[in-house]
Tab-separated table of all heavy atoms in Angstrom:
chain	number	residue	atom	x	y	z
A	169	LEU	N	-10.951	13.265	12.336
A	169	LEU	CA	-11.748	14.354	12.890
A	169	LEU	C	-12.684	13.856	13.982
A	169	LEU	O	-13.217	12.747	13.902
A	169	LEU	CB	-12.596	15.008	11.791
A	169	LEU	CG	-11.847	15.740	10.683
A	169	LEU	CD1	-12.824	16.173	9.600
A	169	LEU	CD2	-11.112	16.941	11.244
A	170	LYS	N	-12.912	14.703	14.984
A	170	LYS	CA	-13.944	14.408	15.981
A	170	LYS	C	-15.289	14.387	15.251
A	170	LYS	O	-15.438	14.995	14.189
A	170	LYS	CB	-13.956	15.462	17.086
A	170	LYS	CG	-12.676	15.514	17.906
A	170	LYS	CD	-12.735	16.598	18.964
A	170	LYS	CE	-12.702	17.956	18.281
A	170	LYS	NZ	-12.626	19.080	19.198
A	171	ALA	N	-16.258	13.709	15.838
A	171	ALA	CA	-17.564	13.565	15.193
A	171	ALA	C	-18.176	14.916	14.834
A	171	ALA	O	-18.709	15.087	13.725
A	171	ALA	CB	-18.504	12.760	16.080
A	172	ASP	N	-18.088	15.898	15.737
A	172	ASP	CA	-18.689	17.202	15.442
A	172	ASP	C	-17.928	17.937	14.335
A	172	ASP	O	-18.528	18.630	13.519
A	172	ASP	CB	-18.808	18.063	16.701
A	172	ASP	CG	-17.476	18.404	17.338
A	172	ASP	OD1	-16.547	17.568	17.308
A	172	ASP	OD2	-17.347	19.513	17.904
A	173	GLU	N	-16.609	17.767	14.276
A	173	GLU	CA	-15.827	18.371	13.188
A	173	GLU	C	-16.229	17.750	11.848
A	173	GLU	O	-16.404	18.439	10.849
A	173	GLU	CB	-14.331	18.113	13.380
A	173	GLU	CG	-13.655	18.842	14.492
A	173	GLU	CD	-12.199	18.425	14.607
A	173	GLU	OE1	-11.921	17.246	14.910
A	173	GLU	OE2	-11.344	19.303	14.385
A	174	ASP	N	-16.365	16.419	11.844
A	174	ASP	CA	-16.717	15.703	10.617
A	174	ASP	C	-18.113	16.091	10.146
A	174	ASP	O	-18.330	16.321	8.963
A	174	ASP	CB	-16.635	14.194	10.846
A	174	ASP	CG	-16.889	13.423	9.577
A	174	ASP	OD1	-16.095	13.565	8.627
A	174	ASP	OD2	-17.906	12.695	9.518
A	175	ALA	N	-19.060	16.173	11.078
A	175	ALA	CA	-20.437	16.523	10.720
A	175	ALA	C	-20.506	17.926	10.116
A	175	ALA	O	-21.201	18.154	9.116
A	175	ALA	CB	-21.339	16.422	11.946
A	176	LYS	N	-19.776	18.861	10.711
A	176	LYS	CA	-19.789	20.245	10.233
A	176	LYS	C	-19.212	20.342	8.817
A	176	LYS	O	-19.739	21.040	7.963
A	176	LYS	CB	-19.004	21.139	11.198
A	176	LYS	CG	-19.053	22.610	10.851
A	176	LYS	CD	-18.526	23.488	11.959
A	176	LYS	CE	-17.040	23.357	12.099
A	176	LYS	NZ	-16.452	24.317	13.029
A	177	ARG	N	-18.142	19.609	8.583
A	177	ARG	CA	-17.471	19.680	7.285
A	177	ARG	C	-18.052	18.706	6.251
A	177	ARG	O	-17.710	18.792	5.077
A	177	ARG	CB	-15.988	19.341	7.445
A	177	ARG	CG	-15.190	20.352	8.209
A	177	ARG	CD	-13.774	19.803	8.413
A	177	ARG	NE	-12.935	20.700	9.135
A	177	ARG	CZ	-11.991	21.446	8.578
A	177	ARG	NH1	-11.777	21.402	7.299
A	177	ARG	NH2	-11.253	22.231	9.318
A	178	LYS	N	-18.843	17.736	6.716
A	178	LYS	CA	-19.393	16.679	5.849
A	178	LYS	C	-18.272	15.923	5.141
A	178	LYS	O	-18.376	15.557	3.972
A	178	LYS	CB	-20.388	17.253	4.847
A	178	LYS	CG	-21.575	17.900	5.509
A	178	LYS	CD	-22.566	18.421	4.503
A	178	LYS	CE	-23.715	19.086	5.246
A	178	LYS	NZ	-24.682	19.682	4.358
A	179	THR	N	-17.193	15.703	5.849
A	179	THR	CA	-16.001	15.085	5.271
A	179	THR	C	-16.263	13.644	4.847
A	179	THR	O	-15.929	13.250	3.732
A	179	THR	CB	-14.843	15.139	6.284
A	179	THR	OG1	-14.666	16.485	6.689
A	179	THR	CG2	-13.564	14.648	5.667
A	180	ARG	N	-16.835	12.850	5.736
A	180	ARG	CA	-17.104	11.453	5.408
A	180	ARG	C	-17.996	11.357	4.170
A	180	ARG	O	-17.704	10.612	3.235
A	180	ARG	CB	-17.750	10.735	6.590
A	180	ARG	CG	-18.046	9.287	6.294
A	180	ARG	CD	-18.772	8.581	7.433
A	180	ARG	NE	-18.684	7.170	7.221
A	180	ARG	CZ	-17.965	6.342	7.953
A	180	ARG	NH1	-17.290	6.780	8.993
A	180	ARG	NH2	-17.924	5.070	7.666
A	181	GLN	N	-19.062	12.123	4.171
A	181	GLN	CA	-20.004	12.111	3.059
A	181	GLN	C	-19.304	12.479	1.751
A	181	GLN	O	-19.478	11.817	0.730
A	181	GLN	CB	-21.146	13.083	3.352
A	181	GLN	CG	-22.141	13.240	2.228
A	181	GLN	CD	-23.182	14.307	2.542
A	181	GLN	OE1	-23.401	14.671	3.696
A	181	GLN	NE2	-23.822	14.819	1.516
A	182	THR	N	-18.505	13.531	1.780
A	182	THR	CA	-17.792	13.980	0.583
A	182	THR	C	-16.849	12.909	0.058
A	182	THR	O	-16.777	12.658	-1.148
A	182	THR	CB	-17.005	15.271	0.892
A	182	THR	OG1	-17.924	16.264	1.346
A	182	THR	CG2	-16.242	15.776	-0.310
A	183	CYS	N	-16.129	12.259	0.974
A	183	CYS	CA	-15.189	11.212	0.558
A	183	CYS	C	-15.926	10.010	-0.018
A	183	CYS	O	-15.533	9.475	-1.065
A	183	CYS	CB	-14.319	10.788	1.742
A	183	CYS	SG	-13.106	12.039	2.222
A	184	GLU	N	-16.990	9.590	0.641
A	184	GLU	CA	-17.755	8.441	0.141
A	184	GLU	C	-18.391	8.746	-1.209
A	184	GLU	O	-18.394	7.886	-2.101
A	184	GLU	CB	-18.801	8.012	1.172
A	184	GLU	CG	-18.172	7.339	2.374
A	184	GLU	CD	-19.161	6.992	3.477
A	184	GLU	OE1	-20.295	7.548	3.502
A	184	GLU	OE2	-18.788	6.172	4.339
A	185	GLU	N	-18.902	9.954	-1.403
A	185	GLU	CA	-19.478	10.346	-2.689
A	185	GLU	C	-18.424	10.362	-3.794
A	185	GLU	O	-18.757	10.238	-4.971
A	185	GLU	CB	-20.151	11.721	-2.580
A	185	GLU	CG	-21.441	11.690	-1.791
A	185	GLU	CD	-22.014	13.068	-1.514
A	185	GLU	OE1	-21.357	14.097	-1.842
A	185	GLU	OE2	-23.122	13.128	-0.939
A	186	SER	N	-17.168	10.502	-3.416
A	186	SER	CA	-16.065	10.488	-4.391
A	186	SER	C	-15.542	9.079	-4.645
A	186	SER	O	-14.574	8.900	-5.376
A	186	SER	CB	-14.927	11.387	-3.891
A	186	SER	OG	-15.368	12.718	-3.794
A	187	GLY	N	-16.147	8.081	-4.000
A	187	GLY	CA	-15.756	6.696	-4.227
A	187	GLY	C	-14.667	6.186	-3.308
A	187	GLY	O	-14.054	5.145	-3.583
A	188	LEU	N	-14.423	6.889	-2.227
A	188	LEU	CA	-13.392	6.477	-1.275
A	188	LEU	C	-14.013	5.710	-0.109
A	188	LEU	O	-15.105	6.040	0.348
A	188	LEU	CB	-12.660	7.706	-0.735
A	188	LEU	CG	-11.855	8.498	-1.770
A	188	LEU	CD1	-11.552	9.892	-1.258
A	188	LEU	CD2	-10.585	7.754	-2.114
A	189	ILE	N	-13.320	4.702	0.359
A	189	ILE	CA	-13.692	4.014	1.586
A	189	ILE	C	-13.252	4.919	2.736
A	189	ILE	O	-12.155	5.481	2.691
A	189	ILE	CB	-12.973	2.647	1.686
A	189	ILE	CG1	-13.356	1.750	0.522
A	189	ILE	CG2	-13.263	1.979	3.033
A	189	ILE	CD1	-12.419	0.551	0.352
A	190	VAL	N	-14.072	5.050	3.763
A	190	VAL	CA	-13.729	5.925	4.884
A	190	VAL	C	-13.695	5.120	6.174
A	190	VAL	O	-14.645	4.417	6.507
A	190	VAL	CB	-14.736	7.087	5.032
A	190	VAL	CG1	-14.393	7.946	6.245
A	190	VAL	CG2	-14.768	7.929	3.772
A	191	GLU	N	-12.586	5.224	6.870
A	191	GLU	CA	-12.452	4.689	8.221
A	191	GLU	C	-12.403	5.887	9.151
A	191	GLU	O	-11.465	6.686	9.086
A	191	GLU	CB	-11.170	3.857	8.363
A	191	GLU	CG	-11.150	2.591	7.549
A	191	GLU	CD	-11.997	1.479	8.157
A	191	GLU	OE1	-12.465	1.622	9.306
A	191	GLU	OE2	-12.191	0.463	7.469
A	192	HIS	N	-13.432	6.051	9.973
A	192	HIS	CA	-13.473	7.189	10.899
A	192	HIS	C	-12.896	6.750	12.232
A	192	HIS	O	-13.439	5.875	12.897
A	192	HIS	CB	-14.911	7.689	11.065
A	192	HIS	CG	-14.994	8.953	11.850
A	192	HIS	ND1	-15.991	9.209	12.751
A	192	HIS	CD2	-14.199	10.048	11.876
A	192	HIS	CE1	-15.815	10.396	13.288
A	192	HIS	NE2	-14.730	10.927	12.776
A	193	VAL	N	-11.759	7.337	12.596
A	193	VAL	CA	-11.051	7.006	13.832
A	193	VAL	C	-10.793	8.332	14.553
A	193	VAL	O	-9.710	8.896	14.461
A	193	VAL	CB	-9.729	6.261	13.523
A	193	VAL	CG1	-9.106	5.738	14.802
A	193	VAL	CG2	-9.942	5.131	12.526
A	194	PRO	N	-11.804	8.836	15.265
A	194	PRO	CA	-11.706	10.192	15.818
A	194	PRO	C	-10.698	10.335	16.952
A	194	PRO	O	-10.629	9.505	17.848
A	194	PRO	CB	-13.123	10.465	16.332
A	194	PRO	CG	-13.703	9.118	16.583
A	194	PRO	CD	-13.069	8.189	15.577
A	195	LEU	N	-9.909	11.390	16.845
A	195	LEU	CA	-8.988	11.785	17.916
A	195	LEU	C	-9.338	13.220	18.302
A	195	LEU	O	-9.560	14.056	17.434
A	195	LEU	CB	-7.535	11.698	17.456
A	195	LEU	CG	-6.997	10.302	17.174
A	195	LEU	CD1	-5.614	10.389	16.543
A	195	LEU	CD2	-6.936	9.486	18.457
A	196	SER	N	-9.351	13.496	19.602
A	196	SER	CA	-9.801	14.804	20.068
A	196	SER	C	-8.787	15.920	19.855
A	196	SER	O	-9.139	17.088	19.885
A	196	SER	CB	-10.186	14.737	21.544
A	196	SER	OG	-9.058	14.416	22.327
A	197	GLY	N	-7.539	15.593	19.651
A	197	GLY	CA	-6.497	16.599	19.448
A	197	GLY	C	-5.135	15.951	19.548
A	197	GLY	O	-5.017	14.734	19.684
Side-chain angles (χ1 to χ4, degrees):
L169 294 173
K170 296 179 291 185
D172 62 325
E173 289 177 296
D174 184 63
K176 185 168 71 172
R177 292 174 180 256
K178 299 182 181 177
T179 306
R180 180 184 195 110
Q181 176 185 340
T182 302
C183 289
E184 288 175 342
E185 288 172 354
S186 297
L188 295 162
I189 299 165
V190 177
E191 294 283 351
H192 188 218
V193 189
L195 293 172
S196 63

